[in-house]
């Protein structure tokens, strides 16, 4: 599924980031294949969303989140 | 020695910069680019070093125009412009991410000091950093632990800087073979992969996590909720505006009356003449006209800095981004645009936080369309003149409704122009909105005070000069004219029987009106009458339009002079005088259609030289303020024309 399809509180692992430039930018920040993320906030009207990884809460736009493929993790895993 | 301060965003870099330099900061330019360069003086054992506050980034490769300066500073500028020493500020809770940029700095061959900031917070989260292991990994770089917000570790940092100034050792390792070109995306991705692998290996035995802390988001969910989020944001803005309007008025009045007192005093000691006139009517009001903005700038930036430093601003940006995006704006445009409803000057200055240049430019461009407080005296005068005091449906005041409509017209026009610019302006590269939402912090008063101080300083030193110069020119044009013409006009005035029967004060008023009419500005005002006739204005209004270029509220004072209402302070007097003015054909000058045309004119016209000066300062070019002057002038004329012909 895509990152923008997650619900608040869902945990997921990054599988693939389709957009080249975006992938490099996120990689520089330490977000890459296998990074676990938790969706924390969604702005109204399909506005930006914020996910946490490591100790950071990072917000990206809904459309950009569309290029991030994730795998939802079971809460107890 | 040139020392550069590097770091990711939100690592406390600015706090450390403020701690090291205090008030000794200045704003300059990075060579060749239009990005502000903040630097300060760092004093060490009597020697002075230049400390440059480099924009916070995650990587040397830029993701927007402003971040390009980092690459430029380190890689593509001539060697003598590059820093001799770098201080890298890392967030202890996010060491891995900081080490990415740090490893790039190492590869630049720069001697470095590594600051691990906010270790107390990291330890609370269960993150422990093995100092020894980390020092072993970077043996040539002094590593300093700090808690900059409480000033802890400053001495250790200074000692480390001294050591590196003396030794200048840089790391021997190279993480990646070479830094890539800016357009070599594939190379950059490869390099990033390589660096991440290196960092993972380095930190494996350096950072240990003893407990898993889960970040709570309860408060954030309320702050970004579709209902409570907007309500809280509106409430905060409401409070800020209340403060700006109620508190700024006192110091503004104090500044104006202080300078008024100074003028009186100079007039009493200096003989009447050109020098006294230049001082009392040209220079002093000019300086007063610059300083009078300081309270508004100070109060607005106090709140903006408070929102920023506490962490709330990031939530507001997150919440508002979607609403303004269709207009080519960024979530960060919202606070500057709303601030412009108090005054466009701090509004334009507050756009500094918008990372994308195109979005920032659009925000600056449309900010003057938001109705500012200087328009209020113009609007209230005109509404009182031409809009009848009546109620619609028994409850709605028509006058209030018109005022509201003028504000709405300003906002709608700003969004419309933003949208047009969004379509016209080219984006150099796809932009990404990647924003960290920091944890809430208790604001640090020193940071807030220094922000307010910096904004006031930039305004007075960089925009103040232009404002002062132009306002003196405007004053000279309004108080001087061809002397023969003026003398003749005064002479013929004195001969009229109406004049002779007047009291002394009334005579003075009539004389002033004739003098303004025959000044250079008066001549221009008369000259443009054919141009403004189609939108319903006579030459007297024309003169007021030109003089009010200095500041919109001057319109009221100029009308008062030109119609010789005698008593400037008595609005009632002016109101009645204007109401009864008749055109040569017997119709009233301030008819409904002329009044509405004028109000719409003032919604659009770029009648504020201070804003133009600030836009020039922020965009570093006269191109944008000139475009505003022409485009908004054309819109004002067209809007006025339409209103004059519709009503």
């Amino acid at each position: 599924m895509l990152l923008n399809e997650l619900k608040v509180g869902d945990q997921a692992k990054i599988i693939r980031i389709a957009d080249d430039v975006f992938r490099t930018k996120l990689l520089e920040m330490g977000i890459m294949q296998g990074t676990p993320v938790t969706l924390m906030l969604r702005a109204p009207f399909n506005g930006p969303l914020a996910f946490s990884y490591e100790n950071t809460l990072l917000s990206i736009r809904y459309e950009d989140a569309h290029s991030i493929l994730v795998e939802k993790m079971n809460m107890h895993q | 020695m040139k020392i550069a301060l590097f770091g990711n965003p939100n690592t406390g870099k600015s706090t450390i910069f403020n701690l090291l330099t205090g008030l000794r900061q200045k704003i300059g330019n990075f060579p060749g680019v239009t990005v502000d360069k903040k630097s300060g003086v760092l004093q060490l054992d009597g020697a002075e070093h230049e400390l440059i506050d480099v924009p916070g980034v995650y990587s040397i490769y830029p993701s927007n125009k402003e971040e390009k300066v980092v690459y430029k500073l380190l890689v593509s500028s001539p060697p003598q412009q590059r820093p001799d020493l770098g201080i890298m500020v890392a967030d202890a809770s996010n060491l891995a991410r900081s080490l990415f940029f740090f490893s790039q700095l190492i590869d630049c061959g720069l001697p470095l000091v590594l600051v691990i900031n906010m270790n107390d917070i990291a330890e609370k989260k269960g993150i422990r950093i093995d100092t020894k292991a980390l020092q072993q990994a970077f043996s040539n770089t002094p590593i300093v632990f700090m808690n900059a917000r409480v000033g802890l570790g400053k001495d250790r940092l200074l000692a480390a800087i001294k050591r590196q100034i003396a030794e200048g050792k840089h790391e021997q390792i190279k993480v990646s073979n070479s830094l890539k070109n800016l357009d070599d995306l594939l190379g950059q991705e490869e390099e990033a992969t390589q660096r991440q692998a290196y960092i993972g290996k380095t930190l494996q035995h350096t950072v240990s996590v003893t407990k898993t802390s889960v970040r709570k988001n309860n408060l954030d969910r309320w702050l970004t909720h579709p209902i409570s989020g907007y309500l809280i944001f509106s409430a905060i803005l409401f409070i800020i505006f209340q403060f700006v309007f109620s508190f700024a008025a006192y110091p503004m009045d104090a500044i104006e009356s202080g300078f008024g007192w100074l003028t009186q005093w100079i007039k009493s000691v200096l003989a009447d003449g050109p020098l006294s006139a230049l001082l009392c009517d040209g220079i002093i009001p000019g300086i007063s006209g610059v300083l009078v903005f300081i309270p508004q700038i100070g109060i607005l930036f106090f709140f903006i800095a408070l929102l920023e430093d506490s962490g709330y601003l990031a939530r507001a940006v997150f919440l508002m981004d979607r609403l303004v995006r269709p207009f080519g704006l960024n979530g960060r445009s919202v606070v500057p645009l709303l601030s412009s409803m108090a005054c466009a000057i701090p509004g334009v200055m507050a756009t500094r936080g918008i990372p994308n240049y195109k979005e920032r430019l659009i925000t600056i461009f449309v900010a003057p369309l938001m109705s500012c407080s200087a328009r209020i005296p113009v609007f209230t005068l005109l509404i009182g003149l031409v809009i009848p005091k009546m109620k619609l449906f028994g409850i709605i005041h028509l006058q209030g409704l018109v005022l509201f409509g003028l504000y709405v017209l300003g906002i709608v026009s700003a969004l419309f122009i933003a949208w047009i610019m969004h379509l016209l302006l080219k984006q150099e590269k796809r932009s990404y909105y990647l924003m960290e939402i920091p944890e809430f912090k208790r604001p640090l008063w020193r940071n807030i005070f220094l922000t307010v101080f910096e904004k006031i300083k930039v305004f007075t030193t960089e925009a103040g000069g232009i404002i002062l110069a132009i306002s003196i020119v405007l004053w000279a044009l309004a108080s001087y004219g061809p002397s023969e013409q003026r003398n003749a006009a005064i002479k013929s005035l004195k001969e009229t029987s109406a004049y002779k029967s007047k009291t002394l004060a009334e005579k003075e008023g009539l004389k002033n009106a004739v003098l303004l009419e025959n000044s250079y500005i008066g001549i221009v005002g008369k000259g443009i009458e054919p141009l403004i006739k189609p939108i319903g204005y006579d030459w007297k209004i024309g003169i007021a339009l030109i003089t009010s270029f200095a500041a919109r509220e001057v319109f009221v004072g100029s009308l008062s002079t030109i119609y010789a209402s005698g008593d400037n302070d008595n609005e009632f007097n002016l109101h009645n005088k204007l109401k009864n003015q008749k055109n040569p054909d017997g119709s009233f000058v301030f008819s409904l259609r002329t009044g509405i045309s004028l109000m719409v004119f003032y919604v659009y016209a770029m009648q504020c030289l201070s804003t133009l000066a600030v836009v020039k300062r922020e965009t570093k070019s006269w191109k944008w303020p000139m475009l505003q002057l022409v485009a908004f002038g054309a819109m004002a004329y067209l809007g006025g024309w339409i209103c004059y012909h519709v009503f």
Side-chain angles (χ1 to χ4, degrees):
Chain A
M1 69 196 307
L2 301 171
L3 184 63
N4 57 9
E5 290 167 345
L6 292 176
K7 285 192 192 68
V8 170
D10 279 354
Q11 296 181 7
K13 253 183 190 161
I14 307 264
I15 303 291
R16 204 167 68 86
I17 301 160
D19 184 295
D20 290 343
V21 184
F22 201 44
R23 183 172 61 239
T24 309
K25 284 292 132 207
L26 289 177
L27 178 60
E28 288 173 341
M29 297 176 75
I31 301 164
M32 58 198 107
Q33 198 181 2
T35 304
V37 297
T38 308
L39 194 74
M40 300 291 274
L41 301 168
R42 300 188 80 119
F45 316 116
N46 286 342
L49 34 91
F51 61 88
S52 67
Y53 77 104
E54 288 164 17
N55 284 296
T56 306
L57 184 59
L58 187 71
S59 69
I60 61 175
R61 280 183 174 148
Y62 184 83
E63 309 84 277
D64 294 332
H66 196 76
S67 80
I68 302 179
L69 191 70
V70 295
E71 184 186 47
K72 205 171 139 179
M73 288 193 292
N74 200 317
M75 286 300 237
H76 304 288
Q77 230 169 350
Chain B
M1 201 161 209
K2 199 182 284 196
I3 305 171
L5 191 62
F6 299 100
N8 293 165
N10 298 306
T11 50
K13 186 170 65 69
S14 304
T15 305
I16 291 180
F17 181 75
N18 289 339
L19 199 64
L20 292 180
T21 58
L23 281 172
R24 300 189 66 185
Q25 303 181 1
K26 66 167 198 260
I27 307 280
N29 247 332
F30 280 106
V33 282
T34 55
V35 175
D36 274 335
K37 172 180 161 185
K38 200 167 163 184
S39 62
V41 177
L42 170 65
Q43 216 161 14
L44 269 180
D45 298 334
E48 290 195 342
H49 305 281
E50 185 191 6
L51 187 69
I52 305 165
D53 189 16
V54 180
V57 292
Y58 298 106
S59 163
I60 197 171
Y61 302 117
S63 43
N64 62 48
K65 203 174 168 180
E66 191 181 82
E67 291 183 8
K68 266 190 194 157
V69 300
V70 181
Y71 186 84
K72 213 165 168 189
L73 183 73
L74 287 166
V75 184
S76 55
S77 64
Q80 69 272 14
Q81 280 177 12
R82 294 185 204 169
D84 307 295
L85 171 64
I87 303 169
M88 169 77 196
V89 183
D91 176 358
S93 309
N94 278 303
L95 194 56
R97 204 179 49 212
S98 287
L99 286 190
F100 186 88
F101 184 32
F102 182 66
S103 77
Q104 290 176 323
L105 292 175
I106 288 177
D107 287 0
C108 291
L110 193 69
L112 293 162
V113 172
L114 178 62
V115 175
I116 313 260
N117 197 18
M118 305 187 278
N119 197 37
D120 52 329
I121 298 173
E123 282 187 343
K124 267 184 215 146
K125 288 179 189 159
I127 300 165
R128 298 211 40 190
I129 298 170
D130 184 341
T131 323
K132 259 193 195 151
L134 192 65
Q135 189 66 77
Q136 258 166 15
F138 306 109
S139 52
N140 281 346
T141 304
I143 297 174
V144 181
F145 280 79
M146 276 186 91
N147 181 0
R149 287 185 89 80
V150 296
L152 207 73
K154 186 186 171 186
D155 294 337
R156 287 196 295 270
L157 174 60
L158 291 177
I161 295 171
K162 270 188 234 171
R163 205 183 104 196
Q164 275 295 53
I165 288 176
E167 296 175 2
K169 278 200 220 159
H170 57 84
E171 294 296 328
Q172 297 301 320
I173 44 164
K174 274 239 184 238
V175 182
S176 175
N177 294 331
S178 63
L179 288 163
K180 309 294 181 292
N181 282 331
L182 281 184
D183 48 10
D184 181 8
L185 261 178
L186 212 66
Q188 287 172 22
E189 194 181 345
E190 224 168 84
E191 185 191 315
T193 314
Q194 221 174 340
R195 288 188 194 281
Q196 291 297 4
Y198 166 79
I199 292 163
K201 215 169 59 199
T202 312
L203 291 188
Q204 207 173 14
H205 304 292
T206 313
V207 176
S208 55
V209 181
T210 53
K211 61 177 178 195
T212 44
S213 65
V214 179
R215 183 160 161 165
K216 291 193 184 78
N217 63 348
N218 297 342
L219 179 59
D220 282 338
R221 287 189 77 168
W222 283 107
L223 292 177
T224 59
H225 184 270
I227 296 165
S228 62
Y230 293 117
L231 273 178
I232 293 167
F233 182 58
S234 310
I236 288 175
L237 285 171
F238 180 79
I239 293 168
I240 294 177
F241 272 57
Q242 285 297 311
F243 269 94
V244 172
F245 282 112
S246 57
F247 282 178
Y250 299 107
M252 285 167 86
D253 288 347
I255 289 169
E256 285 182 327
S257 56
F259 278 96
W261 177 86
L262 181 66
T263 310
Q264 289 308 317
W265 181 76
I266 292 178
K267 275 188 176 155
S268 71
V269 294
L270 221 63
D272 262 2
L275 176 67
S276 159
L278 174 67
L279 266 177
C280 296
D281 303 321
I283 294 175
I284 292 177
I287 294 174
S288 163
V290 173
L291 298 186
V292 80
F293 285 110
I294 288 178
Q296 282 190 339
I297 294 175
I299 294 177
L300 262 173
F301 275 105
F302 170 78
F303 283 107
I304 292 175
L306 191 68
L307 296 184
E308 175 109 59
D309 208 54
S310 65
Y312 177 74
L313 196 64
R315 275 84 183 167
V317 170
F318 180 79
L319 186 68
M320 299 306 292
D321 187 70
R322 179 67 187 89
L323 299 187
V324 297
R325 276 209 64 202
F327 309 102
L329 300 167
N330 183 298
R332 288 199 179 263
S333 312
V334 174
V335 168
L337 284 182
L338 292 172
S339 303
S340 299
M341 298 187 83
C343 177
I345 290 163
V348 168
M349 292 170 77
T351 60
R352 199 70 62 76
I354 304 172
N356 180 296
Y357 184 70
K358 179 183 157 186
E359 289 166 345
R360 178 165 177 233
L361 197 62
I362 294 177
T363 311
I364 291 176
F365 197 84
V366 303
L369 290 174
M370 307 296 279
S371 278
C372 65
S373 55
R375 286 175 173 100
I376 294 174
V378 179
F379 287 162
T380 45
L381 176 77
L382 291 170
I383 286 174
L385 274 174
V386 302
I387 306 294
K389 258 202 182 115
M390 58 179 271
K391 284 184 182 175
L392 294 179
F393 313 115
I395 43 164
I396 304 167
H397 284 271
L398 183 62
Q399 294 189 327
L401 186 68
V402 170
L403 185 64
F404 178 73
L406 293 169
Y407 272 82
V408 171
L409 183 64
I411 296 169
V412 170
S413 305
L415 291 177
F416 178 71
I417 296 297
W419 179 70
I420 299 271
M421 286 184 76
H422 175 52
L423 297 180
L424 291 179
L425 285 179
K426 275 214 186 79
Q427 181 86 48
E428 1 163 24
K429 210 163 94 175
R430 217 192 126 182
S431 83
Y432 294 95
Y433 164 101
L434 271 174
M435 184 187 66
E436 227 181 279
I437 301 183
E439 283 173 64
F440 276 108
K441 285 189 287 264
R442 208 152 53 91
L444 208 56
W445 300 113
R446 186 179 51 230
N447 285 353
I448 292 170
F449 165 74
L450 284 171
T451 304
V452 170
F453 180 78
E454 180 214 311
K455 296 291 174 185
I456 291 175
K457 192 172 144 192
V458 162
F459 171 74
T460 43
T461 56
E462 295 187 41
I466 303 169
I467 299 169
L468 181 61
I470 300 180
S471 54
I472 290 174
V473 170
L474 279 176
W475 160 78
L477 292 177
S479 13
Y480 293 96
S483 47
E484 269 174 41
Q485 187 183 331
R486 298 186 113 195
N487 292 340
I490 289 285
K491 206 174 153 200
S492 62
L493 170 74
K494 282 181 176 167
E495 279 160 6
T496 54
S497 55
Y499 178 82
K500 284 172 185 158
S501 63
K502 293 280 188 299
T503 66
L504 205 63
E506 284 170 333
K507 279 181 182 168
E508 199 59 32
L510 285 172
K511 264 200 270 180
N512 284 338
V514 168
L515 285 176
L516 182 56
E517 182 185 339
N518 292 289
S519 68
Y520 292 112
I521 278 191
I523 293 165
V524 175
K526 277 185 169 172
I528 62 166
E529 198 181 41
L531 191 70
I532 54 177
K533 201 84 212 173
I535 54 174
Y537 315 153
D538 64 2
W539 61 266
K540 291 182 177 178
I541 298 176
I543 291 175
L545 284 187
I546 294 172
T547 52
S548 76
F549 175 69
R552 294 179 176 95
E553 67 270 22
V554 171
F555 178 78
V556 178
S558 292
L559 279 185
S560 170
T561 308
I562 199 99
Y563 282 112
S565 73
D567 187 358
N568 276 354
D569 294 328
N570 193 336
E571 257 178 52
F572 181 71
N573 196 351
L574 175 64
H575 181 102
N576 282 344
K577 200 109 189 176
L578 294 181
K579 194 136 202 165
N580 296 322
Q581 287 300 320
K582 285 188 179 161
N583 286 318
D585 64 5
S587 61
F588 285 107
V589 172
F590 288 93
S591 59
L592 177 68
R593 53 191 206 149
T594 293
I596 291 182
S597 165
L598 258 177
M599 286 187 254
V600 170
F601 189 92
Y602 270 90
V603 166
Y604 291 120
M606 191 63 223
Q607 294 278 81
C608 181
L609 79 93
S610 308
T611 303
L612 290 173
V614 167
V615 171
K616 189 257 162 189
R617 198 260 155 223
E618 292 297 323
T619 60
K620 320 252 179 197
S621 138
W622 279 109
K623 177 173 139 197
W624 295 105
M626 286 302 121
L627 197 62
Q628 282 177 318
L629 188 64
V630 173
F632 295 163
M635 284 164 68
Y637 191 84
L638 190 69
W641 190 85
I642 291 171
C643 289
Y644 188 65
H645 287 85
V646 165
F647 286 94

